[in-house]
Amino acid sequence: MPRKRLAFFFSIYIVIIISLLFPGFDKAVYADTQGGGKQIFVIPIEDDIERGLEAFLSRTTGEAIEAGADHIIFEINTPGGSVEAANNIGTIIANLDIPTTSFIVSEAFSAGSYIALHTDNIYMTPRARMGASGVINSDGTAADKKAQSAWLKTMTSAAEAGGRDPLYAAAMADASIDLPELDAPEGEFLTLTPQEALEVGYSEGIVQDRTELLFELGLSNGTIIQTEPTLAENIARFITNPIVVPILLSLASLGLILELYSPGFGVPGSVGLLSLALFFYGHFVAGLAGMEAIIILILGIVLLIAEFFVPGGILGILGIGAIIGSLFMSGANVGHMMTSVAIAFLVAVVASVILFRRIGLDKGIFRHVILKDRTTTELGYVSNQNRLDLIGMEGISATGLRPSGVAIIANERVDVVTEGSFIQANTPVKVVKVEGVRVIVREL
């Protein structure tokens, strides 16, 4: 590998290791945009809701508590996401003793509306929407009845805890509820406009921007502390996305398989290791992977390396099992991890078949473990002596040939066989044919 390329990949590994050991090295810088008075933390809830966002909110709300914040404003703009992450975020907000406000800038759909219901106040911009909270699977199909029933109870409980009418929260999650006056007839999930949310008591007001919101809350003279995700948290949010996980694991398996068929260590192996490192890095920062998962991963890699030196295959099987186990220990959802690992395994199998047919085992690491020596005649290897030189020579049978035995030919004892007849000992014979190791004689 050229030195520049080697230095490039080495630099990437160093950055990942530093980030893994010190996940908070790029802490967000808070910006004070107002003068003295009360402290108001503004925490964004944007894009998909997943475990990486949960880690970010856990950190920022904890910092707000430590700083003695007087109010927390969650600026929401999300299409929804993971139910599990939403439940955990809702618990974080519900356990806060600090007054909280949801400021829906654009949309708070699905899990986003559930999070908003946990805050003390909800304000919306004129263009905002909230609702449409039905549970769907990752493939876009409706979840089973058990999951839908559990989510329905979760939504209504959140509304009741905030003193809001649970009917509308139920209609957001249950399409069978008929609310034609809110453009949500039977078969449609309820989505509230700012005015509708205000009328049903799901919003305290409609504001144009944050400045107007602060005025409505009586916090115009407060000190705004704007929080932002760190680089590590942004990476974690991207990597823990349910769509990214199978892609990352597939890249890891494909890169490592390609490396087995490549001479030396190059780009495929680097991409594979980098993908695997990013998977564990993102899940570590998101709080999904603990040190025990990292230790089991390292143990699995060591066992795989040891397999090349210790015959038997047991260490290799244990190593693969340890690596897969560490993946499941780091995943947010067992079902999703099973799907992701299955996709990565299928990619590895297809790549192995294609590479074996096109390249064989003459390149890569296999060239060191496959025996290439051949015991051919051209190289001097002879399994038996071909006695063609005996054809036509005469001798005498030393034993009875019934039909095989021993004859003396040119003063040499030779194992011979007749053409089928029996020949007595001390009978003159002649070699008529040689087939491999068979010397065939005939009585004279």
Side-chain angles (χ1 to χ4, degrees):
M1 180 188 297
R3 292 184 178 180
K4 290 184 178 179
R5 186 185 299 174
L6 181 62
F8 172 73
F9 286 110
F10 181 75
S11 301
I12 292 177
Y13 292 140
I14 292 297
V15 171
I16 291 175
I17 291 172
I18 293 175
S19 301
L20 190 58
L21 294 177
F22 306 101
F25 78 98
D26 54 344
K27 289 284 188 181
V29 177
Y30 299 135
D32 294 347
T33 59
Q34 305 278 348
K38 295 183 177 180
Q39 291 192 58
I40 303 102
F41 269 65
V42 177
I43 302 176
I45 298 179
E46 299 174 331
D47 303 321
D48 290 341
I49 293 171
E50 25 62 39
R51 297 299 298 272
L53 175 63
E54 177 190 336
F56 165 64
L57 291 177
S58 178
R59 173 181 68 82
T60 50
T61 53
E63 292 175 353
I65 294 172
E66 292 179 2
D70 298 289
H71 204 103
I72 298 178
I73 297 175
F74 297 99
E75 291 191 344
I76 301 177
N77 183 17
T78 174
S82 166
V83 170
E84 183 181 4
N87 279 325
N88 295 339
I89 292 171
T91 301
I92 292 173
I93 297 175
N95 290 334
L96 291 172
D97 292 328
I98 304 171
T100 56
T101 294
S102 288
F103 178 34
I104 303 176
V105 178
S106 180
E107 59 184 24
F109 293 143
S110 189
S113 60
Y114 170 75
I115 293 173
L117 290 174
H118 279 82
T119 57
D120 301 319
N121 308 297
I122 298 177
Y123 283 84
M124 305 172 69
T125 63
R127 63 182 181 279
R129 300 290 186 274
M130 71 176 295
S133 304
V135 182
I136 59 173
N137 298 316
S138 56
D139 58 1
T141 60
D144 57 60
K145 292 184 178 180
K146 182 179 179 181
Q148 292 184 28
S149 176
W151 179 243
L152 179 61
K153 291 295 184 182
T154 302
M155 285 289 293
T156 55
S157 296
E160 290 174 344
R164 300 180 177 96
D165 190 339
L167 172 64
Y168 304 106
M172 292 179 182
D174 186 358
S176 66
I177 297 177
D178 187 24
L179 293 175
E181 67 276 12
L182 295 174
D183 294 327
E186 185 175 353
E188 298 288 339
F189 293 112
L190 173 63
T191 298
L192 295 175
T193 64
Q195 189 60 43
E196 290 169 344
L198 188 61
E199 291 173 357
V200 300
Y202 270 49
S203 170
E204 276 65 46
I206 303 171
V207 296
Q208 294 290 335
D209 50 33
R210 185 193 297 173
T211 302
E212 189 174 341
L213 171 65
L214 293 173
F215 177 79
E216 290 292 331
L217 294 173
L219 300 172
S220 297
N221 294 325
T223 299
I224 301 299
I225 303 175
Q226 177 71 51
T227 65
E228 295 294 343
T230 63
L231 175 61
E233 288 166 341
N234 279 326
I235 294 175
R237 291 196 62 184
F238 176 76
I239 290 173
T240 55
N241 189 293
I243 298 176
V244 176
V245 169
I247 296 175
L248 209 56
L249 293 182
S250 297
L251 283 176
S253 63
L254 182 61
L256 294 176
I257 290 296
L258 287 173
E259 188 58 40
L260 293 178
Y261 288 87
S262 303
F265 188 83
V267 175
S270 298
V271 171
L273 291 178
L274 182 60
S275 299
L276 201 59
L278 282 173
F279 171 85
F280 281 98
Y281 171 68
H283 286 71
F284 183 83
V285 173
L288 298 172
M291 287 305 300
E292 64 277 4
I294 306 298
I295 293 173
I296 293 177
L297 170 68
I298 295 173
L299 178 62
I301 294 174
V302 170
L303 289 173
L304 282 179
I305 295 174
E307 175 61 30
F308 289 102
F309 304 96
V310 180
I314 296 178
L315 294 181
I317 294 173
L318 291 175
I320 293 174
I323 293 174
I324 294 176
S326 65
L327 292 175
F328 278 97
M329 290 175 65
S330 305
N333 182 278
V334 175
H336 183 261
M337 278 306 304
M338 289 181 64
T339 303
S340 301
V341 171
I343 292 173
F345 177 76
L346 181 62
V347 169
V349 170
V350 172
S352 298
V353 172
I354 294 174
L355 290 171
F356 178 76
R357 289 185 175 181
R358 289 180 174 270
I359 300 177
L361 302 178
D362 297 329
K363 294 183 179 181
I365 195 172
F366 297 109
R367 72 185 190 279
H368 299 298
V369 296
I370 301 298
L371 181 64
K372 295 183 179 180
D373 291 339
R374 298 180 180 179
T375 55
T376 61
T377 304
E378 291 79 5
L379 296 176
Y381 295 95
V382 179
S383 60
N384 56 75
Q385 188 175 5
N386 195 329
R387 300 303 304 273
L388 295 175
D389 58 303
L390 296 178
I391 296 177
M393 298 183 69
E394 297 179 358
I396 188 170
S397 59
T399 65
L401 306 181
R402 299 175 181 276
S404 63
V406 178
I408 304 297
I409 302 174
N411 298 321
E412 180 183 352
R413 292 176 64 86
V414 181
D415 292 326
V416 297
V417 63
T418 71
E419 294 174 304
S421 61
F422 296 143
I423 300 176
Q424 298 293 328
N426 299 316
T427 302
V429 295
K430 179 180 180 180
V431 178
V432 295
K433 188 185 299 184
V434 175
E435 295 177 344
V437 296
R438 297 175 72 245
V439 178
I440 303 172
V441 297
R442 180 184 300 165
E443 182 181 359
L444 288 174

